[in-house]
Amino acid sequence: DSGVTQTPKHLITATGQRVTLRCSPRSGDLSVYWYQQSLDQGLQFLIQYYNGEERAKGNILERFSAQQFPDLHSELNLSSLELGDSALYFCASSGTGDTYNEQFFGPGTRLTVL
Amino acid sequence: AQSVTQLDSQVPVFEEAPVELRCNYSSSVSVYLFWYVQYPNQGLQLLLKYLSGSTLVKGINGFEAEFNKSQTSFHLRKPSVHISDTAEYFCAVSNTGTASKLTFGTGTRLQVTL
C-alpha cells in the first residue's frame, strides 16, 4: 500500500459526459501528479501540482483540467468525453526530504467511455 | 526533451533463470533513473532508483540495475526469477533537482513459466 488513494476504482460513462477523479496523496506529500495509461499511448504525464499551484503540464487535453485543494487532495476533471479517453488514470505523490524525487502511485481509476 | 526506450516488449523466461530487461534513455541534461513494476490490476511500485554515486543499484525483490552513462543505459537484472515476478516493468527518467515528472518507456512484459 503506497498510501495514495484514488476514487472511484472504476468509472463507466458515455461519450460527451463529464467525470471527476479524486486523489488523496500520502500524508505530508505536497506534490501530486496525474498520469494516463492507455494501450496506444502508454504511460503519459498529464499535470503536476505542488502545494495547490500548478507546477508542470504535459500532454493534457484542453477538455481536461485539474486542481489541488488546501487539504492537498487533487481532482482531475475530464469533460466532453470521447471513446479515446478510455484509460487507466494514475495519481502519484512525492514529498520532501530524502524521498522528494520518488513518486508513490495510487491504484488508479479505470475509465471506460462507451 | 527526454525519452526512454525499452527494447523488448515481452521477455519469456523459465523460473530460476536469470533475466535482463533493457532500458536506454535520451536526455540533454542529467537525469534520475527508475524502474517500476506493475502487477495486474495494480498501480506502479518502485523497484529501484539511481540518483547519483555507485552505478550499481540494488532494489527490492532481488532486482538490481546498472547505470551506464556512456551507453545511456539502465538495464534491470535478476539472477534467478520466480513465478511471482511475472508483471509489467517500466523504466523511467526524471530531471534532477526539484521533484519533476516521470517520462516512461513503453514497458516490458516479463513472463515467468515453470
Side-chain angles (χ1 to χ4, degrees):
Chain A
D1 185 354
S2 66
V4 178
T5 60
Q6 290 186 248
T7 56
K9 197 165 186 174
H10 300 279
L11 201 46
I12 300 174
T13 188
T15 54
Q17 294 298 306
R18 172 190 170 92
V19 296
T20 297
L21 313 184
R22 182 188 169 103
C23 167
S24 292
R26 292 188 320 154
S27 177
D29 282 359
L30 299 179
S31 273
V32 169
Y33 310 77
W34 286 97
Y35 293 87
Q36 179 195 60
Q37 184 178 33
S38 62
L39 283 175
D40 51 343
Q41 305 270 14
L43 263 164
Q44 288 208 317
F45 167 72
L46 295 177
I47 198 164
Q48 176 195 1
Y49 278 82
Y50 179 83
N51 202 20
E53 302 275 331
E54 182 184 301
R55 171 68 68 88
K57 225 169 184 176
N59 298 322
I60 188 166
L61 299 171
E62 283 192 18
R63 300 184 285 109
F64 295 2
S65 65
Q67 56 185 134
Q68 186 178 26
F69 295 86
D71 67 352
L72 301 178
H73 91 270
S74 177
E75 292 181 356
L76 179 68
N77 300 296
L78 315 176
S79 61
S80 303
L81 285 167
E82 302 175 0
L83 296 177
D85 298 327
S86 295
L88 199 46
Y89 291 85
F90 286 111
C91 166
S93 72
S94 66
T96 56
D98 291 344
T99 61
Y100 79 92
N101 48 55
E102 183 176 334
Q103 294 182 27
F104 297 84
F105 282 77
T109 293
R110 184 170 293 281
L111 174 66
T112 303
V113 182
L114 301 175
Chain B
Q2 297 168 336
S3 67
V4 177
T5 302
Q6 291 184 245
L7 298 165
D8 307 299
S9 59
Q10 292 189 66
V11 173
V13 64
F14 290 111
E15 193 175 34
E16 297 183 8
V19 70
E20 179 179 83
L21 306 184
R22 297 180 291 169
C23 171
N24 288 87
Y25 70 93
S26 172
S27 177
S28 57
V29 298
S30 296
V31 296
Y32 293 147
L33 293 153
F34 305 83
W35 276 99
Y36 281 85
V37 61
Q38 185 179 26
Y39 298 103
N41 300 313
Q42 292 189 30
L44 289 92
Q45 180 184 8
L46 182 68
L47 276 179
L48 47 79
K49 61 185 178 183
Y50 172 79
L51 306 179
S52 64
S54 173
T55 57
L56 183 63
V57 179
K58 293 193 183 298
I60 62 171
N61 300 341
F63 284 93
E64 64 181 32
E66 184 147 24
F67 170 57
N68 187 319
K69 190 173 183 180
S70 62
Q71 297 188 2
T72 60
S73 67
F74 190 54
H75 300 333
L76 180 71
R77 292 191 284 259
K78 186 169 183 178
S80 175
V81 295
H82 190 267
I83 289 281
S84 60
D85 293 322
T86 295
E88 191 87 19
Y89 291 78
F90 292 93
C91 182
V93 301
S94 75
N95 288 338
T96 59
T98 57
S100 62
K101 67 170 186 175
L102 292 167
T103 300
F104 286 92
T106 50
T108 297
R109 169 81 179 160
L110 176 64
Q111 182 69 51
V112 183
T113 54
L114 295 172

